[in-house]
């Protein structure tokens, strides 16, 4: 049996990623007709969350319902995983009953272990290292608003976190230039920077970095799991807020994205989500459409 997982963007070819985004746009336009067809009737997704979520949980659960299937929320506090049952055993048992599994966890290696022992597709719904589902929605949003992102200048402002590292993978897979602007000590992994040096560079000054950008993206300063560093990070990132003055330096038709949840007054100024360049609500909604297309792709490609 061939099983296709989606642990990072690198699990798909550039052509497959384009195909998924194209299909997501199509599914968005034909939402009611596809729900009526119920193409994945009797298909069950397990959703394992070891961290909080609003968008990811609701988009996967609603998406499965709209495809005619069912989604099951699994909290580690309620299943034996939380009492020490090994992830390998959990993977074998879950995948013997489910058709597809989505996982949000801490260490990326935990997700990899689960995928290794799963006989059905596993989707990364965020780890400490990557958040590839969000990138599908972001790339869909850019495509809908401005067309191809190929050759564009994308600027990541802030922490070199899971979102930043997925943007790095996206730079290669979608062929755009990525500038990362962050304080010293908050860069993404060195190995990734080395491997992707023809697509990605670090520029310390945020005002230099965003000049003539086509897309500016940011995220919280303290990701889930880093809450105890909040005060230290607020100081370190003080010069890295995305605000109106920073967006003024970008191209006239530039876009602003944020995966949400956002902290107004920290990584963004108070009204930035309502800025004319902001497409954050469209971006959030596209999680639903992009993931439905991803589910369809993985189920059809695994047999
Ligand atoms: N952007 C995102 O993944 O949001 P949630 O944490 O609410 O799922
Ligand atoms: N970087 C954030 C993304 C949340 C969707 C976190 O990991 O908390």
């Amino acid at each position: 049996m061939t099983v296709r997982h989606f642990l990072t963007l690198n699990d798909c070819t550039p052509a497959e990623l384009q195909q998924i985004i194209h299909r997501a746009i199509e599914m968005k336009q034909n939402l009611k007709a596809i729900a009526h067809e119920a193409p994945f009737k009797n298909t069950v997704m397990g959703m394992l969350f070891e961290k909080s979520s609003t968008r990811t949980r609701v988009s996967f659960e609603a998406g499965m319902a709209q495809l005619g299937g069912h989604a099951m929320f699994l909290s580690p506090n309620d299943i034996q995983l939380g009492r020490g049952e090994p992830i390998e055993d959990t993977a074998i048992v879950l995948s013997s009953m489910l058709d597809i599994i989505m996982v949000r966890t801490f260490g990326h290696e935990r997700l990899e272990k689960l995928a290794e022992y799963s006989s059905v597709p596993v989707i990364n719904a965020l780890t400490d290292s990557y958040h590839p589902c969000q990138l599908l929605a972001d790339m869909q949003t850019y495509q809908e608003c401005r067309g191809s992102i190929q050759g564009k200048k994308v600027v990541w402002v802030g922490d070199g976190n899971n979102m930043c590292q997925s943007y790095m993978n996206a730079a290669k897979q979608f062929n755009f230039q990525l500038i990362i602007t962050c304080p010293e000590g908050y860069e993404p992994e060195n190995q990734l920077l080395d491997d992707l040096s023809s697509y990605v560079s670090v520029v310390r000054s945020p005002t230099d970095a965003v000049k003539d950008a086509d897309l500016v993206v940011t995220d919280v300063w303290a990701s889930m799991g880093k809450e105890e560093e909040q005060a230290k990070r607020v100081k370190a990132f003080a010069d890295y807020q995305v605000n109106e003055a920073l967006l003024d330096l970008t191209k006239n038709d530039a876009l602003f994205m944020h995966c949400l949840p956002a902290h107004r007054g920290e990584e963004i100024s108070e009204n930035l989500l309502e800025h004319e360049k902001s497409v954050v609500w469209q971006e959030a909604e596209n999680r639903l459409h992009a993931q439905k297309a991803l589910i369809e792709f993985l189920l059809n490609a695994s047999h």
Side-chain angles (χ1 to χ4, degrees):
M1 161 142 178
T2 315
V3 183
R4 291 290 299 265
H5 300 304
F6 187 68
L7 309 188
T8 74
L9 290 175
N10 299 332
D11 285 327
C12 290
T13 64
E16 287 171 340
L17 291 170
Q18 293 294 347
Q19 180 194 325
I20 292 167
I21 286 164
H22 181 264
R23 180 66 176 143
I25 293 171
E26 195 176 80
M27 288 176 116
K28 185 176 182 175
Q29 284 157 358
N30 299 304
L31 194 132
K32 293 232 160 66
I34 291 169
H36 186 71
E37 279 167 30
F40 289 101
K41 205 163 168 254
N42 299 325
T43 302
V44 187
M45 166 179 273
M47 306 193 303
L48 184 53
F49 279 98
E50 298 192 303
K51 287 174 174 172
S52 305
S53 169
T54 298
R55 280 143 289 268
T56 306
R57 176 174 178 182
V58 174
S59 53
F60 272 115
E61 201 161 327
M64 280 306 292
Q66 291 170 10
L67 291 170
H70 180 78
M72 185 187 295
F73 179 73
L74 300 166
S75 149
N77 298 330
D78 302 326
I79 64 172
Q80 300 288 7
L81 188 64
R83 293 181 58 251
E85 184 166 15
I87 194 94
E88 297 89 326
D89 299 359
T90 304
I92 293 168
V93 173
L94 289 184
S95 63
S96 73
M97 301 179 192
L98 300 169
D99 300 287
I100 187 162
I101 301 172
M102 173 250 83
V103 185
R104 171 168 286 198
T105 190
F106 291 87
H108 192 75
E109 58 295 337
R110 196 165 162 76
L111 171 79
E112 287 174 334
K113 180 70 80 187
L114 196 139
E116 186 188 337
Y117 284 84
S118 171
S119 55
V120 300
V122 172
I123 297 173
N124 178 0
L126 182 145
T127 62
D128 290 344
S129 305
Y130 299 101
H131 194 7
C133 288
Q134 183 68 52
L135 260 291
L136 292 181
D138 287 21
M139 295 299 102
Q140 179 188 344
T141 307
Y142 194 90
Q143 172 77 33
E144 287 173 339
C145 296
R146 297 285 181 266
S148 173
I149 200 165
Q150 187 171 342
K152 301 289 182 187
K153 176 178 174 179
V154 179
V155 181
W156 175 268
V157 183
D159 192 19
N161 63 13
N162 42 13
M163 275 298 299
C164 175
Q165 297 200 147
S166 279
Y167 261 90
M168 294 173 77
N169 284 340
K172 180 166 184 223
Q173 297 290 64
F174 291 87
N175 197 10
F176 57 78
Q177 284 300 315
L178 179 68
I179 312 284
I180 296 169
T181 181
C182 65
E184 238 167 282
Y186 293 95
E187 297 83 4
E189 285 168 25
N190 271 332
Q191 188 62 53
L192 266 185
L193 280 170
D194 286 350
D195 292 348
L196 295 167
S197 59
S198 39
Y199 298 93
V200 184
S201 51
V202 176
V203 171
R204 263 327 142 197
S205 154
T207 47
D208 288 348
V210 300
K211 215 155 276 169
D212 294 326
D214 294 289
L215 170 63
V216 173
V217 197
T218 193
D219 187 12
V220 291
W221 290 339
S223 285
M224 290 181 275
K226 300 266 188 230
E227 289 82 358
E228 76 290 351
E229 294 180 22
Q230 174 70 18
K232 182 179 125 196
R233 283 169 173 263
V234 166
K235 279 198 194 120
F237 284 95
D239 295 334
Y240 290 84
Q241 183 186 73
V242 181
N243 50 35
E244 286 76 3
L246 206 66
L247 288 192
D248 279 348
L249 302 172
T250 64
K251 283 198 184 139
N252 286 339
D253 66 348
L255 298 178
F256 168 72
M257 295 191 197
H258 187 315
C259 65
L260 306 176
H263 292 185
R264 292 171 174 83
E266 291 184 23
E267 79 275 5
I268 53 161
S269 53
E270 212 57 46
N271 299 315
L272 206 78
L273 299 186
E274 281 69 49
H275 192 281
E276 59 182 7
K277 292 179 175 173
S278 164
V279 287
V280 296
W281 309 122
Q282 183 176 342
E283 179 190 5
E285 184 198 320
N286 281 341
R287 293 294 303 281
L288 172 69
H289 311 296
Q291 287 158 199
K292 282 167 70 182
L294 174 67
I295 292 165
E296 180 186 76
F297 171 81
L298 293 175
L299 288 173
N300 288 344
S302 303
H303 41 255

